[in-house]
Amino acid sequence: MDNKTEPILLQTLRGKATSRPPFWFMRQAGRVLPNYLKLKENYTFWQMMQNPKVAAEVTLMPVYDLGVDAAILFSDILVIPYALGMGLDFTDAGPVFEKPLAQRSNPLEGLNPDPSKLEYIYKVVDEIIKTRPENTPLIGFCGAPLTVLLFMLQGLGRKGDFPDAVKFIYQNKEATKKLVEELTELSVIYAQEQINHGVEVFQLFDTHAGLIPFDLYKELFLPATEKIAEAVRAKDVPFIFFPKGLGCGIGAITPEYCDFLSIDWQTSLQTARKLVHQEVGLQGNIDPRLLFAPQQEMEKTLESYIEFGRKNQNWIFNLGHGFIPGLPYENAKFLADWVKNTDWKRNS
């Protein structure tokens, strides 16, 4: 593809100059879209994920309803523990494991990796590729080993701080390393299979990266990120890493870990740009709660991003985390239109 036909997100990820930053939103498929909320009345979350036609429709909904520059696969980070043999159900209150690992006498026993349990997701990817509008890249993803392991160890209860899971990590370092290995191996297979079926960009979500001290994170979990990044890039697909809450730890993120680093709202983009290796692009970091503000207030805050966007071609406009349930759809649409219609003062 030449520059004129290559989607703007892929141009930016490949280091090309564009007239504006590309944009997509974490958790864009659902939550704030009226069409999604209407569709959801007829299906459970599991049913939506496992039905290729429905999952593809939900994946592409934000492309039509918001005008984003890319679609992200409609799925969940906990499909990996399910494929490892953990009993999992998605309830109205969220995902629930039959028996979290921290409650088992031997957490490593009973894990039985079965990659075939992920086959239904590749059928969804096939359907998206078949039905997507032209020039709409598809982003694939999985959860990073720390975040996924926290859920596996503790389940959903008090998920914000995962006290039982963190206690387990401190008490059982060797078992933790083995669990991370299991997770990483299956995540590598999963990532590469998504790419084999047509995914063009891949993001690794580590929503709870900030839960443990960075030194421990670097020792136990960052090597897994590097392995998944290597597997993705071996297929010539750009790799985005989102370690939410990592704080100053982002200064240790060098090109071997990712092509682009997604920044949460706690760290300004200016600070992030000084800390992160210059060859690593940035993504983020709009506070999703800004979308509760009146549009006039939203615009004032957004205008402060123009200067950064003018100077930094290697930046993807995104949120510092996902859309929050209950945000007004009108404000999400306002945000999307604002990015597209703003003069970013770039010469190209």
Side-chain angles (χ1 to χ4, degrees):
M1 285 190 285
D2 61 31
N3 248 24
K4 281 177 187 162
T5 56
E6 188 179 33
I8 187 169
L9 177 67
L10 297 184
Q11 288 183 50
T12 297
L13 285 162
R14 303 279 184 206
K16 295 173 184 172
T18 56
S19 60
R20 64 166 174 86
F23 75 100
W24 64 279
F25 303 120
M26 287 183 250
R27 292 194 174 137
Q28 66 184 14
R31 288 201 164 181
V32 302
L33 302 180
N35 282 332
Y36 170 78
L37 299 173
K38 196 172 162 193
L39 187 70
K40 200 177 152 194
E41 289 169 13
N42 303 317
Y43 301 93
T44 66
F45 188 69
W46 251 140
Q47 285 169 338
M48 282 198 282
M49 277 204 308
Q50 292 177 318
N51 181 321
K53 283 201 162 18
V54 175
E57 185 187 342
V58 174
T59 298
L60 295 171
M61 229 176 238
V63 177
Y64 296 112
D65 295 3
L66 291 173
V68 291
D69 290 319
I72 182 165
L73 175 66
F74 178 70
S75 187
D76 193 89
I77 63 166
L78 298 183
V79 296
I80 290 284
Y82 173 71
L84 281 168
M86 289 188 75
L88 173 66
D89 190 25
F90 286 95
T91 69
D92 289 343
V96 176
F97 286 115
E98 211 174 282
K99 192 168 187 186
L101 298 186
Q103 294 170 19
R104 303 182 188 189
S105 53
N106 184 347
L108 289 159
E109 248 175 38
L111 285 188
N112 180 25
D114 181 359
S116 72
K117 284 187 172 177
L118 299 165
E119 288 292 331
Y120 71 95
I121 297 167
Y122 312 136
K123 288 178 182 156
V124 172
V125 175
D126 293 343
E127 183 66 21
I128 296 163
I129 299 298
K130 202 168 75 185
T131 57
R132 66 181 174 175
E134 205 181 346
N135 275 3
T136 303
L138 177 61
I139 303 167
F141 76 93
C142 70
L146 169 60
T147 291
V148 176
L149 184 59
L150 291 170
F151 281 102
M152 286 170 70
L153 287 168
Q154 181 161 329
L156 189 67
R158 288 176 64 195
K159 64 175 182 176
D161 54 0
F162 296 95
D164 300 343
V166 173
K167 180 178 161 188
F168 178 94
I169 290 166
Y170 274 98
Q171 288 180 337
N172 305 278
K173 205 183 255 194
E174 289 314 305
T176 297
K177 284 179 181 171
K178 283 179 183 149
L179 287 164
V180 170
E181 268 172 42
E182 292 265 12
L183 277 167
T184 306
E185 274 175 41
L186 193 54
S187 298
V188 161
I189 293 166
Y190 181 43
Q192 291 197 321
E193 275 304 305
Q194 286 185 47
I195 294 163
N196 290 344
H197 284 261
V199 157
E200 292 127 309
V201 180
F202 196 86
Q203 176 156 314
L204 187 70
F205 282 85
D206 211 352
T207 313
H208 299 286
L211 203 56
I212 56 174
F214 180 70
D215 286 348
L216 188 63
Y217 183 78
K218 191 176 179 184
E219 177 194 350
L220 295 179
F221 298 99
L222 216 42
T225 297
E226 193 174 352
K227 273 185 196 159
I228 298 167
E230 273 174 18
V232 167
R233 288 151 134 189
K235 291 189 166 284
D236 195 32
V237 163
F239 183 76
I240 305 172
F241 179 36
F242 178 43
K244 186 173 180 289
L246 203 62
C248 294
I250 60 172
I253 304 300
T254 47
E256 65 264 34
Y257 295 114
C258 59
D259 297 296
F260 272 59
L261 185 70
S262 206
I263 307 296
D264 55 42
W265 68 82
Q266 290 95 332
T267 306
S268 77
L269 286 175
Q270 288 79 3
T271 303
R273 190 62 285 168
K274 284 175 194 156
L275 287 172
V276 178
H277 193 288
Q278 288 306 304
E279 285 172 36
V280 176
L282 299 183
Q283 175 177 271
N285 69 332
I286 312 293
D287 184 348
R289 295 165 299 187
L290 176 67
L291 279 81
F292 285 117
Q295 289 177 5
Q296 216 174 346
E297 291 300 313
M298 281 176 64
E299 193 161 21
K300 266 188 218 164
T301 302
L302 293 170
E303 279 167 358
S304 68
Y305 283 83
I306 295 172
E307 183 60 12
F308 185 86
R310 181 181 71 80
K311 287 181 181 168
N312 296 276
Q313 288 275 354
N314 60 344
W315 172 52
I316 298 162
F317 186 100
N318 206 324
L319 303 171
H321 196 210
F323 277 141
I324 300 163
L327 284 176
Y329 164 71
E330 297 73 24
N331 284 4
K333 185 76 174 82
F334 175 82
L335 180 61
D337 291 343
W338 183 87
V339 185
K340 281 195 284 198
N341 298 329
T342 289
D343 176 7
W344 288 92
K345 302 181 166 53
R346 294 178 174 181
N347 297 326
S348 60

PDB file of all heavy atoms in Angstrom, residues 94-108:
ATOM      1  N   GLY A  94     -19.544  -9.499  36.214  1.00  0.00           N
ATOM      2  CA  GLY A  94     -18.183  -9.626  35.694  1.00  0.00           C
ATOM      3  C   GLY A  94     -17.766 -11.087  35.647  1.00  0.00           C
ATOM      4  O   GLY A  94     -18.549 -11.980  35.954  1.00  0.00           O
ATOM      5  N   PRO A  95     -16.492 -11.339  35.270  1.00  0.00           N
ATOM      6  CA  PRO A  95     -16.027 -12.718  35.139  1.00  0.00           C
ATOM      7  C   PRO A  95     -15.835 -13.393  36.492  1.00  0.00           C
ATOM      8  O   PRO A  95     -15.369 -12.769  37.444  1.00  0.00           O
ATOM      9  CB  PRO A  95     -14.685 -12.565  34.412  1.00  0.00           C
ATOM     10  CG  PRO A  95     -14.260 -11.166  34.669  1.00  0.00           C
ATOM     11  CD  PRO A  95     -15.469 -10.352  34.944  1.00  0.00           C
ATOM     12  N   VAL A  96     -16.225 -14.662  36.577  1.00  0.00           N
ATOM     13  CA  VAL A  96     -16.097 -15.411  37.834  1.00  0.00           C
ATOM     14  C   VAL A  96     -15.412 -16.749  37.547  1.00  0.00           C
ATOM     15  O   VAL A  96     -15.854 -17.505  36.680  1.00  0.00           O
ATOM     16  CB  VAL A  96     -17.489 -15.670  38.471  1.00  0.00           C
ATOM     17  CG1 VAL A  96     -17.359 -16.526  39.724  1.00  0.00           C
ATOM     18  CG2 VAL A  96     -18.177 -14.354  38.813  1.00  0.00           C
ATOM     19  N   PHE A  97     -14.330 -17.032  38.286  1.00  0.00           N
ATOM     20  CA  PHE A  97     -13.665 -18.326  38.164  1.00  0.00           C
ATOM     21  C   PHE A  97     -14.272 -19.318  39.137  1.00  0.00           C
ATOM     22  O   PHE A  97     -14.633 -18.961  40.257  1.00  0.00           O
ATOM     23  CB  PHE A  97     -12.163 -18.198  38.453  1.00  0.00           C
ATOM     24  CG  PHE A  97     -11.391 -17.544  37.336  1.00  0.00           C
ATOM     25  CD1 PHE A  97     -10.766 -16.324  37.532  1.00  0.00           C
ATOM     26  CD2 PHE A  97     -11.293 -18.148  36.096  1.00  0.00           C
ATOM     27  CE1 PHE A  97     -10.054 -15.718  36.510  1.00  0.00           C
ATOM     28  CE2 PHE A  97     -10.588 -17.553  35.061  1.00  0.00           C
ATOM     29  CZ  PHE A  97      -9.965 -16.340  35.273  1.00  0.00           C
ATOM     30  N   GLU A  98     -14.328 -20.572  38.688  1.00  0.00           N
ATOM     31  CA  GLU A  98     -14.862 -21.651  39.517  1.00  0.00           C
ATOM     32  C   GLU A  98     -14.104 -21.739  40.846  1.00  0.00           C
ATOM     33  O   GLU A  98     -14.678 -21.739  41.910  1.00  0.00           O
ATOM     34  CB  GLU A  98     -14.689 -22.957  38.742  1.00  0.00           C
ATOM     35  CG  GLU A  98     -15.726 -24.008  39.008  1.00  0.00           C
ATOM     36  CD  GLU A  98     -15.495 -25.178  38.067  1.00  0.00           C
ATOM     37  OE1 GLU A  98     -15.879 -25.068  36.878  1.00  0.00           O
ATOM     38  OE2 GLU A  98     -14.899 -26.157  38.509  1.00  0.00           O
ATOM     39  N   LYS A  99     -12.762 -21.816  40.751  1.00  0.00           N
ATOM     40  CA  LYS A  99     -11.942 -21.842  41.962  1.00  0.00           C
ATOM     41  C   LYS A  99     -10.623 -21.125  41.691  1.00  0.00           C
ATOM     42  O   LYS A  99      -9.739 -21.655  41.018  1.00  0.00           O
ATOM     43  CB  LYS A  99     -11.662 -23.284  42.405  1.00  0.00           C
ATOM     44  CG  LYS A  99     -11.070 -23.318  43.811  1.00  0.00           C
ATOM     45  CD  LYS A  99     -11.050 -24.719  44.376  1.00  0.00           C
ATOM     46  CE  LYS A  99     -10.621 -24.683  45.841  1.00  0.00           C
ATOM     47  NZ  LYS A  99     -10.447 -26.025  46.392  1.00  0.00           N
ATOM     48  N   PRO A 100     -10.466 -19.878  42.188  1.00  0.00           N
ATOM     49  CA  PRO A 100      -9.227 -19.141  41.966  1.00  0.00           C
ATOM     50  C   PRO A 100      -8.008 -19.918  42.475  1.00  0.00           C
ATOM     51  O   PRO A 100      -8.103 -20.695  43.428  1.00  0.00           O
ATOM     52  CB  PRO A 100      -9.432 -17.851  42.772  1.00  0.00           C
ATOM     53  CG  PRO A 100     -10.913 -17.696  42.872  1.00  0.00           C
ATOM     54  CD  PRO A 100     -11.460 -19.091  42.939  1.00  0.00           C
ATOM     55  N   LEU A 101      -6.864 -19.720  41.826  1.00  0.00           N
ATOM     56  CA  LEU A 101      -5.662 -20.506  42.119  1.00  0.00           C
ATOM     57  C   LEU A 101      -5.156 -20.335  43.548  1.00  0.00           C
ATOM     58  O   LEU A 101      -4.631 -21.289  44.140  1.00  0.00           O
ATOM     59  CB  LEU A 101      -4.529 -20.124  41.150  1.00  0.00           C
ATOM     60  CG  LEU A 101      -4.773 -20.383  39.662  1.00  0.00           C
ATOM     61  CD1 LEU A 101      -3.504 -20.099  38.864  1.00  0.00           C
ATOM     62  CD2 LEU A 101      -5.219 -21.822  39.414  1.00  0.00           C
ATOM     63  N   ALA A 102      -5.281 -19.146  44.107  1.00  0.00           N
ATOM     64  CA  ALA A 102      -4.767 -18.910  45.472  1.00  0.00           C
ATOM     65  C   ALA A 102      -5.520 -19.756  46.503  1.00  0.00           C
ATOM     66  O   ALA A 102      -5.039 -19.968  47.617  1.00  0.00           O
ATOM     67  CB  ALA A 102      -4.848 -17.427  45.834  1.00  0.00           C
ATOM     68  N   GLN A 103      -6.707 -20.254  46.125  1.00  0.00           N
ATOM     69  CA  GLN A 103      -7.492 -21.101  47.049  1.00  0.00           C
ATOM     70  C   GLN A 103      -7.166 -22.586  46.885  1.00  0.00           C
ATOM     71  O   GLN A 103      -7.721 -23.436  47.565  1.00  0.00           O
ATOM     72  CB  GLN A 103      -8.993 -20.885  46.804  1.00  0.00           C
ATOM     73  CG  GLN A 103      -9.479 -19.490  47.156  1.00  0.00           C
ATOM     74  CD  GLN A 103     -10.907 -19.268  46.675  1.00  0.00           C
ATOM     75  OE1 GLN A 103     -11.647 -20.200  46.395  1.00  0.00           O
ATOM     76  NE2 GLN A 103     -11.304 -17.999  46.580  1.00  0.00           N
ATOM     77  N   ARG A 104      -6.268 -22.912  45.968  1.00  0.00           N
ATOM     78  CA  ARG A 104      -5.926 -24.320  45.718  1.00  0.00           C
ATOM     79  C   ARG A 104      -4.631 -24.692  46.436  1.00  0.00           C
ATOM     80  O   ARG A 104      -3.731 -23.861  46.557  1.00  0.00           O
ATOM     81  CB  ARG A 104      -5.757 -24.569  44.216  1.00  0.00           C
ATOM     82  CG  ARG A 104      -6.986 -24.204  43.402  1.00  0.00           C
ATOM     83  CD  ARG A 104      -6.775 -24.521  41.938  1.00  0.00           C
ATOM     84  NE  ARG A 104      -7.874 -23.990  41.119  1.00  0.00           N
ATOM     85  CZ  ARG A 104      -8.044 -24.254  39.844  1.00  0.00           C
ATOM     86  NH1 ARG A 104      -7.202 -25.063  39.216  1.00  0.00           N
ATOM     87  NH2 ARG A 104      -9.046 -23.734  39.161  1.00  0.00           N
ATOM     88  N   SER A 105      -4.535 -25.936  46.885  1.00  0.00           N
ATOM     89  CA  SER A 105      -3.326 -26.356  47.604  1.00  0.00           C
ATOM     90  C   SER A 105      -2.117 -26.387  46.664  1.00  0.00           C
ATOM     91  O   SER A 105      -1.008 -26.070  47.048  1.00  0.00           O
ATOM     92  CB  SER A 105      -3.525 -27.725  48.259  1.00  0.00           C
ATOM     93  OG  SER A 105      -3.984 -28.642  47.284  1.00  0.00           O
ATOM     94  N   ASN A 106      -2.342 -26.745  45.389  1.00  0.00           N
ATOM     95  CA  ASN A 106      -1.256 -26.683  44.406  1.00  0.00           C
ATOM     96  C   ASN A 106      -1.763 -25.966  43.154  1.00  0.00           C
ATOM     97  O   ASN A 106      -2.387 -26.573  42.287  1.00  0.00           O
ATOM     98  CB  ASN A 106      -0.763 -28.090  44.048  1.00  0.00           C
ATOM     99  CG  ASN A 106       0.442 -28.036  43.103  1.00  0.00           C
ATOM    100  OD1 ASN A 106       0.749 -26.990  42.533  1.00  0.00           O
ATOM    101  ND2 ASN A 106       1.109 -29.153  42.932  1.00  0.00           N
ATOM    102  N   PRO A 107      -1.498 -24.655  43.065  1.00  0.00           N
ATOM    103  CA  PRO A 107      -2.049 -23.863  41.957  1.00  0.00           C
ATOM    104  C   PRO A 107      -1.600 -24.317  40.574  1.00  0.00           C
ATOM    105  O   PRO A 107      -2.278 -24.064  39.587  1.00  0.00           O
ATOM    106  CB  PRO A 107      -1.532 -22.450  42.243  1.00  0.00           C
ATOM    107  CG  PRO A 107      -1.157 -22.448  43.680  1.00  0.00           C
ATOM    108  CD  PRO A 107      -0.722 -23.839  44.000  1.00  0.00           C
ATOM    109  N   LEU A 108      -0.433 -24.970  40.493  1.00  0.00           N
ATOM    110  CA  LEU A 108       0.064 -25.388  39.181  1.00  0.00           C
ATOM    111  C   LEU A 108      -0.617 -26.652  38.672  1.00  0.00           C
ATOM    112  O   LEU A 108      -0.633 -26.927  37.480  1.00  0.00           O
ATOM    113  CB  LEU A 108       1.585 -25.612  39.238  1.00  0.00           C
ATOM    114  CG  LEU A 108       2.410 -24.322  39.379  1.00  0.00           C
ATOM    115  CD1 LEU A 108       3.788 -24.620  39.921  1.00  0.00           C
ATOM    116  CD2 LEU A 108       2.509 -23.594  38.051  1.00  0.00           C
TER     117      LEU A 108
END
